[in-house]
Amino acid sequence: MKKMYIAAAVAASAALVLSGCSTGDAASGGSDTIVVDMWAGSEDDTAALEAQVAIAQEQNPDLKIELRTAPWGDFFTKLTTNMASGNMACVTGMNSGMLSSYTAGFAQLTEADLKTAGIVADEFAPGAFDILSNKGDLYGVPFDMATMLTYYNADMLAETGAPVPAVGWDFDDFEATAKAATTPEHAGFGIGMGGFQWQALPIAKAGVQPVKQDGTLDLTNPAFVDAATWYGELVTEQNVALPVASASDTGWGENQYSSGMAAMAVDGTWNAVGYLDNDPGFEAGMAPLPAGPEGSLGLILGSGFGIAQDCENKEGALKVLGSLLSVDSQDYIASSGRSYPARLSSQPLYFESLAPEYREQVEEAFTAAFSNVQGQYVSDNWSKVDTFVQPQLVSVYNGQESMANVLETAQSQFGK
Amino acid sequence: MSIGTRTPRRGALARSESRQALGFVSPALAGLALFTIVPVVLSIVMGFFNWPTFGEKTFVGFDNYIKLFTDSPDFWPALRNTFVFAILYVPISVALSFLLALSLHSRIRGRGALRVLFFIPVVTPMVANVLVWKMMLQPQGLINGISQSWFGIELPNFLADPQWAMIMVVLMSVWAGLGYNMLIFSAALEQLPESTVEAARIDGAQGLRMIWSITVPLVSPSIFFASVMTMITSMQVFAQPQLLTGGGPGNSTQPIVQFIYNQGFKFQELGLAAAAAWILFAVIIAITAAQFSVQKKWVHYEH
């Protein structure tokens, strides 16, 4: 009997080893294999990444580059697991909004690293290196950059005779448009619920971020509290936006806008092409965020690639990273209209890829929006702050809670 | 002959069969170990550590448990929400599904089809159920639309009001889970002993008296089973509040499982999440034990 138990235990252990531990050191590959891990939500996304990897492969014939992808929603779960198990890909994709939770896995990039990668900072747009920086340390180089814009439904504004948003407009203009476009059938503005979406206008109006540059939470900054209160009152006092139906409606304002229920919404430049080709078929337009007394402060956002801290072949990885951000690669993503590249020389190609009727307007809005941007400051516990504030916003928009109170509670809870 | 005093040896065939059986069962054992025993043991260990997803893990003893009870602003509300949900959901769900099973027990036409219809929400993915309910409940939705156009009354923003949101989560969950208990009760009602029922009828029992004094005691084991299972699932509620209300407004509908999910997957504090999970486990065990201890008073196993 004893022998049988041993046999069973051996069999169970063998199965365990075969099923659980077979991934081993696969992600880091051999020393001449560099794994690139990036999110891709569709076949088009994957094809675009494969094209960039092909460019990198051509530039680095002595290395073998392997691409791995996962949809956006799964990418960060997978990354968390890979980091926890020391299995992170040498070249890993990262987004500005997510970086603060993952800095532990990425190597800080030095001047020497950038030189190895063949990256010259001056060739990138001003502020681009803030995208994947945290508290002054650089963790990656961006391939695209984004900021927030005001999108509008031109048909709805024409129908109501509301003034059309334009470069150089201010918050009085914004209120005038929102009021004029509000009718019993549709709202003038789609109120934001997502972190970037709801904070963009308060930051633009106040001219300050709710976090200081050193990562200290500053939610109770009076200028920000006033601006955020004004934002909530667009629903409760000015009645130009509909209250949110549920805290689970994270994309409330943008969905209201894209479904033709609201005349304006604030969203990122990454959705510009999507909104221009919207399903309901309305004519969409875009303008930078309105300006407050201190100008119109916008946040620079975006995605890029970093190097895993435990990468065995850091030099090879840096070369691949350099190639993925090379002129050829950046020209490719720009000319395919996929995203607005971080490399200055490639940026005009993005506008050239757009349909001629949109081109001028998009270029004007983008140029103005990117002219006054700042990297996003986040605290170490930013994901907790975001998770706390979002469901509270529902109560604010429904008039059951004051914005000042929510911000104060968040500050006292997470600002320790 | 001395054979009688010796233990008979097992045959070669029996030994070979045993080995084969163990061989066949070993993949299942490996699965059990990998996906059940290891995670359970690991989660007990995790509860005593400050265990970030990556980075250094440090032993903190009972600190996670103390932190949850004294310093976590969302833990007590999450526990309270879970109890509120269970207290509302379990009796309503069990009572309604019993009434439904009773109604469908009568020899009415198309009762098979009706049972299937009531069971459909159970097998429909929760995401689809929630989408339909959200469309009905939002201010521009079906219910408020009908109320305004027919009666001129504007209803509250159900999912954004702290009081209404929980009621709607319960209502939606009751609707979605009704068919499961109904099927259990229907099966029990089909098995009612004819002789007992007939004897009761001869004695003049009918209507409510028949249900209360004969039917309910006869199906009490099924009611007990449904109550225990429904209580356990209600303490583990997650998908309905997560998808319908996002745990909000504020944290007014956030159940304990959503709290655990947030701690583990959003904030990457696995130690705290594991400790909260074991508290939930202890609560469920305590409630289930209490249910078992009082069953003697009302559950009748002999027909």
Side-chain angles (χ1 to χ4, degrees), chain A residues 65-293:
Chain A
I65 308 173
E66 191 184 317
L67 176 67
R68 285 185 196 171
T69 61
W72 168 268
D74 300 330
F75 179 83
F76 291 96
T77 316
K78 192 179 142 198
L79 178 57
T80 304
T81 316
N82 284 345
M83 278 171 68
S85 58
N87 215 11
M88 196 172 150
C90 270
V91 180
T92 294
M94 188 34 69
N95 173 266
S96 55
M98 307 296 286
L99 177 65
S100 65
S101 305
Y102 293 94
T103 48
F106 285 93
Q108 286 182 31
L109 299 180
T110 60
E111 286 292 328
D113 290 336
L114 293 179
K115 204 173 169 187
T116 309
I119 287 171
V120 180
D122 291 347
E123 292 173 0
F124 286 76
F129 276 41
D130 291 341
I131 291 172
L132 293 179
S133 293
N134 190 262
K135 294 183 194 166
D137 295 323
L138 184 68
Y139 290 94
V141 184
F143 63 80
D144 74 354
M145 51 196 284
T147 191
M148 305 304 279
L149 294 178
T150 313
Y151 291 95
Y152 58 85
N153 181 326
D155 295 341
M156 216 177 261
L157 298 187
E159 169 205 318
T160 53
V164 178
V167 173
W169 70 325
D170 61 19
F171 277 90
D172 291 338
D173 299 326
F174 172 84
E175 284 183 18
T177 301
K179 274 178 194 155
T182 302
T183 69
E185 282 74 42
H186 47 74
F189 181 65
I191 202 84
M193 280 286 283
F196 299 135
Q197 282 80 4
W198 87 263
Q199 286 166 39
L201 282 183
I203 289 171
K205 197 173 197 300
V208 292
Q209 295 193 42
V211 181
K212 291 178 187 164
Q213 196 166 4
D214 63 0
T216 317
L217 208 57
D218 196 22
L219 287 164
T220 44
N221 182 312
F224 185 77
V225 172
D226 285 349
T229 302
W230 165 85
Y231 187 73
E233 285 173 354
L234 289 173
V235 186
T236 54
E237 300 287 323
Q238 304 204 42
N239 301 315
V240 296
L242 290 171
V244 180
S246 157
S248 62
D249 290 322
T250 49
W252 175 261
E254 308 87 87
N255 292 343
Q256 289 260 304
Y257 169 73
S258 57
S259 60
M261 298 279 289
M264 290 189 290
V266 167
D267 204 358
T269 48
W270 57 85
N271 274 333
V273 174
Y275 284 141
L276 291 168
D277 301 326
N278 59 76
D279 282 339
F282 61 81
E283 196 191 328
M286 63 192 77
L289 300 178

